[in-house]
Amino acid sequence: MTQKSPITTHVLDTAVGLPAAGINVQLSRLDDQDFVVLAQGVTDADGRIADLLPAGSLSEGTYRLRFDLLEYLQQQGSPVFYPYAEVVCQISELDSHYHIPLLLSPFGYSTYRGS
């Protein structure tokens, strides 16, 4: 069995009811007082990024996913209220998988810990 990235994400555009493809996402980890970029990716046709980190590379700490929404929303012809969204989470279980979805609309977004 192939090991998977310990952190994955998925963006759904709730305004149109479809996955949001082509969104740039940056994964960072808090080091002292600054976030250090660990990985970057672009959501695929299904709105997913499944390969942000190599298996076994996770360490305890505070992580941030930054979703660059400006270009995607402009391409959709949607108003741009949030040019980006940042989701910060605390990782403490190194043998767990962390799926962090983003539900997106022109005037709001939400997230949760997925499975």
Side-chain angles (χ1 to χ4, degrees):
M1 177 197 238
T2 304
Q3 290 188 340
K4 298 180 182 180
S5 175
I7 297 177
T8 57
T9 191
H10 187 195
V11 183
L12 296 172
D13 185 336
T14 61
V16 295
L18 295 170
I23 293 180
N24 292 309
V25 179
Q26 191 176 72
L27 176 67
S28 304
R29 184 177 185 281
L30 187 62
D31 184 18
D32 292 321
Q33 298 297 316
D34 296 314
F35 279 96
V36 176
V37 176
L38 301 176
Q40 299 183 105
V42 178
T43 57
D44 64 15
D46 195 35
R48 296 178 184 274
I49 302 177
D51 59 355
L52 279 169
L53 290 176
S57 64
L58 199 60
S59 59
E60 288 186 16
T62 301
Y63 287 77
R64 176 180 69 191
L65 283 169
R66 179 188 165 111
F67 299 84
D68 293 322
L69 306 175
L70 177 69
E71 188 176 324
Y72 172 81
L73 291 169
Q74 287 175 333
Q75 289 174 352
Q76 299 301 309
S78 296
V80 178
F81 188 71
Y82 294 108
Y84 63 89
E86 292 182 335
V87 177
V88 179
C89 59
Q90 186 69 32
I91 303 290
S92 59
E93 299 171 14
L94 300 183
D95 58 343
S96 291
H97 173 253
Y98 295 87
H99 183 64
I100 305 165
L102 186 77
L103 304 177
L104 171 65
S105 71
F107 295 105
Y109 61 88
S110 64
T111 187
Y112 56 96
R113 181 172 177 188
S115 59

